[in-house]
Amino acid sequence: IPLYPSIAERIIIDLRQMYEWARIQQIVDADPLRDITAKNVGIESGQDTRFFSEKELMWFFTALKNTRIEEKNKIYIELSLHYGCRPSELRLAEISHVNLDFGLWHVPWQNHKVGKKTKQPIVRPIIPPIKKLWQRAIALSGSSVWVFTNRGTSNQLDRSAIPASISCIDNYWRKKIKENGKNITYDTFYAYTLRKTARTNFSDFGEWAVCEK
């Protein structure tokens, strides 16, 4: 694990997806890995410094568009990149937190890292191009509470869903995207790479304290 953290992390993701599938198919009664993440078993991937260049963003969106992952997960990923938010903030988003009439997404203080200190919510704008994504996400939800749910259920989206989708995008990128007829060499990326990419670009327009939220 210390030598190959990215491989170890993906093994955990794949195992969790396997158990989730088996649970939905009623092959097993429980998912013993449901609360297991790479972080809580001591895997440090060094993902906090990785961000996409402009060209890599183009390749990323090409892979996002063409890879065969669920539409709701594609929306989640695009919203993550747009807002630069922590993955948990979208996973914990409730339909009642989203006001499409006023164009606002309220993140309760309990749902974001800084809120533990400030006890204040974050209010993020929903601009017209992004409003369509929120509308579609809510339409696809199987719940009257959560914006993002597990496939075919009303349960809150599992922690492993988006890392698994990122892995699928990575596989498509590695196998299908070429430049001058050759496969592209690139550094491994993670769900957190979306936040780092957004924050890196936000820094051109605002102070660190604002971008950090």
Side-chain angles (χ1 to χ4, degrees), residues 127-164:
I127 61 176
I130 298 302
K131 181 177 179 179
K132 295 183 293 184
L133 296 178
W134 282 107
Q135 289 173 324
R136 183 59 180 161
I138 292 171
L140 291 170
S141 174
S143 170
S144 60
V145 177
W146 307 108
V147 175
F148 295 98
T149 56
N150 289 329
R151 179 173 54 187
T153 77
S154 60
N155 298 330
Q156 179 190 59
L157 189 69
D158 189 79
R159 286 186 177 91
S160 66
I162 299 307

Side-chain angles (χ1 to χ4, degrees), residues 83-97:
Y83 287 109
C85 58
R86 294 177 176 85
S88 63
E89 293 171 16
L90 279 169
R91 194 176 67 83
L92 296 172
E94 298 181 20
I95 295 173
S96 62
H97 298 162

